[in-house]
Amino acid sequence: MGEVIRETGLFEGSESRKMAGQPLIYRGQGFSLRRDKNRFVLPNLFRGTVRESSGSQVLCLAKHESWNCLVGYGLSRVAQFEDIIEQEREFAMKSGQPFDRDMKAMTLYNYHEIPFDGSGRFVLPEDLATLAEVDDQLYFQGAGQYFFVFAPGALAAMTEPQFKGAQVSCASLAKAELKKAGRA
């Protein structure tokens, strides 16, 4: 289905290790149904990278700035936020665009730190579920230094052709998971 790789620039068989200063990379897809105790499961292939990034079993989730989905990452990404703000400020100044540092900071730092257990089970906070229109299913899509978490219905509503691959993957993974859970 999907996989998570650590960017190194070197390949050592099928495994690669994180080198100092290189970001952790999320790649691939995953799917989760809401289970007992109102919990979802962070797909195994994302779980190790989140754990490595956070130094613990903590998942960071925030609402995407413009899409109807969530953005996921580990705690090490938070250390990059001030650099991201400064880069966007410099770009805005050079291109004559307005820039609101406070708004950008509020957007970046408005994330939840969500604990997950050894099996990846976590409870999605109600406010994030509401913002991303989540019901009982989550689709995970790797995107490099972070990953997206979509409610399948919200993803299906995306009309840009670039979403077609994710939409097809989501439908396929949903079908398999529903069948496995006896809900199909």
Side-chain angles (χ1 to χ4, degrees):
M1 292 213 231
E3 65 180 304
V4 179
I5 62 170
R6 284 148 190 89
E7 182 177 289
T8 64
L10 302 172
F11 294 96
E12 301 163 10
S14 63
E15 294 291 317
S16 19
R17 283 187 242 147
K18 181 184 173 204
M19 291 175 44
Q22 295 296 314
L24 296 165
I25 300 298
Y26 300 93
R27 187 177 110 186
Q29 305 81 28
F31 196 88
S32 178
L33 298 172
R34 186 186 313 263
R35 304 287 183 163
D36 64 322
K37 300 180 184 177
N38 206 29
R39 296 180 296 191
F40 289 98
V41 176
L42 180 63
N44 189 42
L45 295 170
F46 291 90
R47 194 178 315 149
T49 304
V50 171
R51 190 179 294 122
E52 185 175 342
S53 172
S54 293
S56 62
Q57 294 184 164
V58 175
L59 166 64
C60 297
L61 284 176
K63 173 70 174 76
H64 189 278
E65 279 186 66
S66 50
W67 296 347
N68 189 13
C69 69
L70 304 174
V71 179
Y73 44 88
L75 285 170
S76 67
R77 178 123 175 101
V78 175
Q80 300 170 355
F81 286 174
E82 290 302 316
D83 290 337
I84 292 168
I85 292 168
E86 182 57 23
Q87 289 168 358
E88 289 194 20
R89 185 193 68 77
E90 287 178 13
F91 178 79
M93 286 181 57
K94 288 177 183 173
S95 62
Q97 306 263 333
F99 181 77
D100 186 334
R101 187 202 187 288
D102 295 334
M103 185 61 70
K104 185 63 182 179
M106 184 174 72
T107 301
L108 286 174
Y109 287 102
N110 189 21
Y111 66 92
H112 288 261
E113 293 182 17
I114 303 166
F116 60 93
D117 68 14
S119 297
R121 293 175 294 206
F122 68 94
V123 175
L124 183 65
E126 188 176 326
D127 62 323
L128 289 177
T130 299
L131 286 169
E133 300 177 16
V134 172
D135 185 21
D136 63 347
Q137 301 176 9
L138 293 178
Y139 171 73
F140 297 81
Q141 175 65 56
Q145 294 181 37
Y146 44 87
F147 55 92
F148 302 119
V149 183
F150 287 94
L155 178 59
M158 303 294 247
T159 59
E160 295 88 344
Q162 295 86 345
F163 287 103
K164 189 65 176 171
Q167 291 164 336
V168 170
S169 293
C170 179
S172 176
L173 292 171
K175 183 178 178 181
E177 282 297 311
L178 289 165
K179 183 177 180 182
K180 190 166 76 173
R183 298 188 203 175

